[in-house]
Amino acid sequence: VQLQASGGGLVQAGGSLRLSCEPSGRTASNYNMAWFRQAPGKEREVVATLTWFNDETYYASSVKDRFTISRDNAKNTVFLQMNSLKPEDTAVYYCALSRSIILRQSDVMNWGNGTQVTVSS
């Protein structure tokens, strides 16, 4: 399974970006999906998760009310809409897929490639 992530870039503080993740060979709606991020010198952390059976979402407290995870079943793509970006959101963002609920790195079955998000002050 390959998870192709895209949409990262350089943005000023207060701006927005939308990340996309498309799993090849898998139907995203049949799996729990998540976005993680890893800043330089820091552990990879979960940012947002989306369950397959009822679209229940979870957000890290640092991004709640600013980020939104969603799924477009027709496009077999999962998105992370990031608004009101802050310099501390700067990191490499990874999408992830699993059959189990994703709460931590060890729950992940497949990782996508990372996409760099840089927020300038």
Side-chain angles (χ1 to χ4, degrees):
V1 177
Q2 286 190 326
L3 303 176
Q4 185 64 43
S6 61
L10 173 64
V11 64
Q12 288 189 331
S16 298
L17 283 174
R18 188 175 78 159
L19 306 183
S20 300
C21 175
E22 183 175 352
S24 62
R26 289 287 188 271
T27 301
S29 60
N30 292 340
Y31 292 86
N32 297 309
M33 302 295 295
W35 287 94
F36 285 72
R37 68 184 181 187
Q38 187 167 20
K42 294 189 176 181
E43 296 274 333
R44 190 173 297 188
E45 61 176 356
V46 63
V47 173
T49 66
L50 177 66
T51 62
W52 71 268
F53 58 94
N54 63 355
D55 284 348
E56 184 174 346
T57 57
Y58 160 82
Y59 296 96
S61 57
S62 57
V63 307
K64 197 169 184 179
D65 298 327
R66 299 188 298 121
F67 290 11
T68 303
I69 187 171
S70 63
R71 175 170 37 222
D72 184 329
N73 293 336
K75 296 181 179 179
N76 196 37
T77 301
V78 175
F79 301 100
L80 184 68
Q81 178 66 42
M82 305 185 295
N83 298 328
S84 303
L85 283 162
K86 304 175 181 180
E88 50 264 44
D89 294 318
T90 296
V92 178
Y93 284 71
Y94 299 88
C95 62
L97 173 153
S98 182
R99 293 192 183 278
S100 60
I101 300 293
I102 300 175
L103 298 175
R104 59 189 65 82
Q105 292 188 60
S106 57
D107 297 325
V108 175
M109 188 169 74
N110 295 99
W111 290 100
N113 59 300
T115 185
Q116 176 71 46
V117 172
T118 303
V119 185
S120 63
S121 56

